[in-house]
Amino acid sequence: MSNWTGKGFELLTIAPQEVVGTPDNSIYRKSAHAGTAWDEARQTMWIFGAETHVTNMDNAVYGWRASDGKFVKHYDADPVSGYRMDANGVYWSSAEKIRPWAMHTYRRMRMVPGTDEFEVMYDADDHALMAPKVFENPSQTTANRVPPVWYYNVVTGAWRASTFGDSAKMVGSPYYAFPLAHDPVHGWFSGDGSFWASLSNNGTYRLTNVSGKSNGQQHSFMFVNNSIAYRVGGAGNTTLYSRHPLANIAGSTKHLVSEFPALAGYNVTNMASVMMPNGLIVIFPVQGSTMQAMILDPEAKTVTATGHVLTGLDKPALYDLAAEWSTAHNAVVLLSRRFTGSNVYGYRP
């Protein structure tokens, strides 16, 4: 990215595809349902997760580096034959208990501020389409599982599993397909169009009725700024975003696509979005085979076209287009994970 100084879209990396079984740790095996977390300190997009449909239980950690545009892999995926649930109900990938299962993780990862760890809050049993290969306590079943919060140290390469208070309720909640975010004061939050799920920093889990006030579209993105959460887009072309003051969830509001003239003729279904440090949100609606960058001001309730258009994507409106913001480069990093080529694009407003 250091060689790119322009505005608009830029193709940064044409991603090579991993040949399974090869020892090359610099090649990326695309995972359509993986999550991402942006590491500002290292200017790296960390990628963890997989399709988890039996044959693609890839629990390796990958990274894309802005410094040279290359992918890295920290370790090889563990074979499914070793997957197990321990006596505490935690899903491990081997008897050594040093790594978790592969899992769907999109929209449920973040870098933990001030640390070298990224955080994953997802129930590995969801979408796995397979039971653990081993139950270390033969009397238990998957109903006894206790999904932890997983943390991966990108420096040491070590995973750890953590549970606290009602954290297992938040991780194992029915809102898997909805995004999750964290606020320093109010903790973690997720939910659907009917209920708002929250987990305080001390581990207290709550559900609040937000029927009619929340974006109920799956595969949306979630952002937080000044203790206000915004759920943007998702698997529908009806709701653009919802606004949630974390100190007063009852004051949540929902805003439809039809309220924004700039979006006339565009499709926002499963579009990517990312919040900039100033609280504005870059959204990427599509029209035909092109994707355009627009700026959503969620407080002023406006959408403004930038005139920047990306063409040539074969599937520009899928929920697995990852989007992260690089403050150092003042740009969005976009990873296309289910396109013909899993390429990395940059977008600078």
Side-chain angles (χ1 to χ4, degrees), residues 1 17 20 69 74 81 95 102 118 167 210 259 281 295:
M1 289 182 72
Q17 298 305 306
V20 179
H74 276 202
S81 59
F118 65 69
S167 63
V210 288
E259 300 173 28
I281 300 170
I295 306 297

Side-chain angles (χ1 to χ4, degrees), residues 259-298:
E259 300 173 28
F260 301 90
L263 291 173
Y266 286 88
N267 191 330
V268 304
T269 304
N270 292 326
M271 70 176 178
S273 60
V274 65
M275 177 173 277
M276 298 186 288
N278 60 8
L280 300 180
I281 300 170
V282 186
I283 61 175
F284 297 95
V286 300
Q287 190 175 61
S289 61
T290 65
M291 183 170 71
Q292 180 166 158
M294 296 186 182
I295 306 297
L296 165 65
D297 185 332

Side-chain angles (χ1 to χ4, degrees), residues 13-277:
T13 298
I14 299 175
Q17 298 305 306
E18 179 185 39
V19 178
V20 179
T22 63
D24 187 351
N25 282 346
S26 66
I27 298 178
Y28 170 56
R29 178 183 180 185
K30 65 179 179 180
S31 301
H33 288 88
T36 60
W38 182 255
D39 185 346
E40 186 67 29
R42 297 163 190 84
Q43 287 294 294
T44 297
M45 176 190 283
W46 296 110
I47 307 162
F48 172 71
E51 292 276 11
T52 65
H53 294 286
V54 181
T55 58
N56 188 12
M57 298 294 284
D58 184 354
N59 68 335
V61 170
Y62 298 90
W64 178 83
R65 300 187 303 217
S67 60
D68 57 12
K70 293 183 181 296
F71 284 94
V72 295
K73 184 169 67 173
H74 276 202
Y75 55 83
D76 289 327
D78 292 310
V80 174
S81 59
Y83 278 36
R84 65 191 56 231
M85 189 178 86
D86 71 11
N88 296 317
V90 177
Y91 279 13
W92 298 93
S93 64
S94 68
E96 289 75 23
K97 300 180 186 178
I98 57 175
R99 290 189 284 267
W101 277 37
M103 59 188 98
H104 280 49
T105 56
Y106 52 81
R107 314 292 192 267
R108 301 181 73 88
M109 283 176 57
R110 72 175 181 118
M111 287 299 298
V112 181
T115 75
D116 296 322
E117 294 182 319
F118 65 69
E119 174 186 82
V120 181
M121 296 188 75
Y122 204 94
D123 184 355
D125 188 74
D126 179 62
H127 275 81
L129 302 187
M130 59 174 281
K133 294 295 182 181
V134 176
F135 288 92
E136 294 184 356
N137 180 343
S139 68
Q140 292 184 327
T141 68
T142 57
N144 301 112
R145 70 186 185 278
V146 178
V149 183
W150 289 98
Y151 295 91
Y152 180 74
N153 190 305
V154 301
V155 175
T156 66
W159 280 99
R160 63 182 179 92
S162 175
T163 57
F164 54 94
D166 296 323
S167 63
K169 290 184 180 179
M170 187 67 168
V171 181
S173 74
Y175 309 117
Y176 307 116
F178 293 89
L180 181 145
H182 179 267
D183 176 79
V185 175
H186 299 279
W188 296 263
F189 39 90
S190 184
D192 61 4
S194 298
F195 289 95
W196 184 261
S198 63
L199 179 72
S200 69
N201 289 317
N202 64 9
T204 301
Y205 179 77
R206 292 187 178 89
L207 282 177
T208 305
N209 191 311
V210 288
S211 181
K213 298 179 180 180
S214 179
N215 179 2
Q217 298 174 162
Q218 297 181 356
H219 308 145
S220 51
F221 284 75
M222 185 96 84
F223 311 107
V224 61
N225 184 46
N226 295 328
S227 288
I228 299 175
Y230 307 93
R231 180 178 289 155
V232 181
N237 197 38
T238 302
T239 303
L240 180 60
Y241 74 103
S242 54
R243 178 184 183 275
H244 307 272
L246 297 178
N248 178 28
I249 294 301
S252 299
T253 55
K254 183 170 67 174
H255 304 280
L256 304 181
V257 174
S258 58
E259 300 173 28
F260 301 90
L263 291 173
Y266 286 88
N267 191 330
V268 304
T269 304
N270 292 326
M271 70 176 178
S273 60
V274 65
M275 177 173 277
M276 298 186 288

Side-chain angles (χ1 to χ4, degrees), residues 306-320:
T306 64
H308 298 143
V309 177
L310 180 63
T311 61
L313 293 180
D314 59 329
K315 296 177 181 178
L318 283 174
Y319 59 83
D320 35 22

